[in-house]
Amino acid sequence: MSQKDIIILGIESSCDDTSAAVLKNSAILSNLIARQEIHESYGGVVPELASRAHQQNIIPVVDEAIKKAGITKEEIDAIAFTRGPGLMGSLVVGTSFAKAFSLAMNIPMIDVNHMIGHVLAHFIDDEGKDKPEFPFICLTVSGGHTQIVLVEDYLKMKVIGTTIDDAAGEAFDKAAKLLGFPYPGGPLIDKHAKLGDPKRFQFSKPQIQGYDYSFSGLKTSILYFLQKQTKENPAFIEENKDDLCASIQSTIIDILFKKLLKATRDLNIKQVAIAGGVSANSGLRTALQETGKKEGWKVFIPKFEYCTDNAAMIAITGKYMFEKELFADQSCAPTARYSMENIGN
Ligand code: KG4
Ligand code: ZN
């Protein structure tokens, strides 16, 4: 190993996935994720169960990530962990683990903002793929957030648009629940949407000022529509599942793109990325490519494994913070709400 190599262990435990990754410079050596299936039957993440599952999973997942990376723990230069935003009981598991590991190994710990992690996933080495240049716009869409982010540098970001109620992932999951899918339903809507007609059903779209979003009206509009239709025909959902999924998905994408287009045109930015769990959606990925062609954008779409929650994105963010010596200390506490602006300032 040359003198300049930096090895970072990343830990992610903000919601219901326990993940550990090993990063060497900008390349991922391992990225392991333990998913918690326990929440499926509850129709959403149960915080207390998530916290307990993280406690059970964290040590085996870290062990396996180190083994798979082919390194020893003595080679790790720093541990980066998600400090927030997220569920308190989940965050505390990753934070406590990072503190103990940092103390035991006598290495720095780095407190990473999960949302910055989603954006910086674009800077993980991926053969043949370009990385965005600054400034660029990133549409960050997950189960908890929907943001238009102006990315001026690795650790300098401005949230110029956000949702005033539900996140895009929540809109997918809540619509999926109404259709009878288990949690999280977003990927199932995606799967059925591929077989359906996106123009078959129309749902209401919000009229919100600026670059902000709203998704709660859409959920209500789907609910009322389904109530009316199933009264007349109890098998309506089953008989129209694919078209319903395609129509719901295309409505969510239309809502997302209306504001994304406005922001890129107003700011005259031609480099556009997507990030977060919903960026795994095939319709959204295609829409970005097609809109990008029309608008003359250079577009950036993350690898599937770096879309939904993962520790690789925490490790790469840790690397940029390590270079600036932005370290946390043992008094660092997890935080459920955590602004991604002004990191290190
Ligand atoms: O980023 P993420 O893994 O966790 C949060 O930080 O919230 O995002 C999870 C969200 C869930 O709402 C899930 O349904 C959604 O991402 N999601 C999708 C797809 N894959 C994950 N939504 C639509 N289509 C997908 N293929
Ligand atoms: Zn996330």
Side-chain angles (χ1 to χ4, degrees), residues 133-136 149-158:
E133 285 163 26
F134 303 112
F136 68 95
V149 185
L150 173 63
V151 189
E152 293 174 318
D153 207 333
Y154 296 111
L155 301 172
K156 196 168 171 225
M157 309 187 183
K158 269 194 209 125

Side-chain angles (χ1 to χ4, degrees), residues 40 42-44 166-193 203 215 218-220 222-223 226 237-238 241 244-249 252 281:
E40 266 175 31
Y42 291 92
D166 290 352
E170 247 175 312
F172 268 106
D173 296 338
K174 286 181 177 172
K177 200 172 173 182
L178 295 174
L179 297 178
F181 292 126
Y183 177 85
L188 294 164
I189 292 203
D190 190 354
K191 192 176 145 205
H192 283 270
F203 301 107
F215 284 101
L218 172 64
K219 185 194 71 187
T220 314
I222 297 168
L223 173 69
L226 292 177
I237 294 177
E238 215 36 61
K241 210 165 231 178
L244 281 165
C245 288
S247 302
I248 291 167
Q249 180 169 300
I252 295 174
N281 183 268

